[in-house]
Amino acid sequence: MKQLSELKLKVLDLLKEDARRDANLLATLLGVTPEEVAEAIAELEQDHVIVKYATVINSSKLDDEKVTALIEVQITPERGRGFEAIAERVYLFPQVKSVYLMSGAYDLLVEVEGRNLKEVASFVSDKLSTLESVLSTKTHFILKKYKQDGVIFEDPEEDRRLMISP
């Protein structure tokens, strides 16, 4: 694994906050030239440190809300490939948004998105649970997102306290 320069680490931090920042603004914030920033970003993309620029969406503000579930999966690792083979089979399903290898009571945490509860339940029962290495699943449906990727979704509440004057 390659050690990143201080400039690249600072660029990453600023892009994590807001990926729409251009090289000129980043250069101003960091006290370097736009060319240095553009070169750092290009290298980060080429080295697959930056793999995607994404938008955080507050789905509660949309009419077509999707159902998201987090699924705890216990598996039997494959001889010679460990958890990699089953993780690969799981993440190739289009419904799967994220897969994490976990420590603790279960092995994989799988984030799944569907149009409705029935679609997610069908995925778990027909596709995920039937994989040979899967021992058990436990599904948790996300009811409301308060914060994601550092972004708070709640509108700030108005202060309703009465003003006290001396």
Side-chain angles (χ1 to χ4, degrees), residues 76-91:
T76 303
E78 280 188 20
R79 173 164 283 169
R81 289 201 61 201
F83 295 104
E84 303 298 318
I86 187 67
E88 183 177 325
R89 289 187 66 194
V90 171
Y91 69 61

Side-chain angles (χ1 to χ4, degrees), residues 31-50:
V32 297
T33 68
E35 292 76 25
E36 289 174 290
V37 170
E39 182 181 332
I41 291 172
E43 289 175 12
L44 289 165
E45 291 171 344
Q46 183 179 355
D47 293 342
H48 297 280
V49 174
I50 296 176

Side-chain angles (χ1 to χ4, degrees), residues 131-153:
L131 293 175
E132 191 174 309
S133 299
V134 172
L135 299 173
S136 69
T137 63
K138 187 185 294 185
T139 303
H140 306 273
F141 288 96
I142 295 177
L143 303 177
K144 182 176 183 176
K145 288 185 183 179
Y146 293 101
K147 184 175 181 178
Q148 177 182 334
D149 294 329
V151 177
I152 298 171
F153 291 138

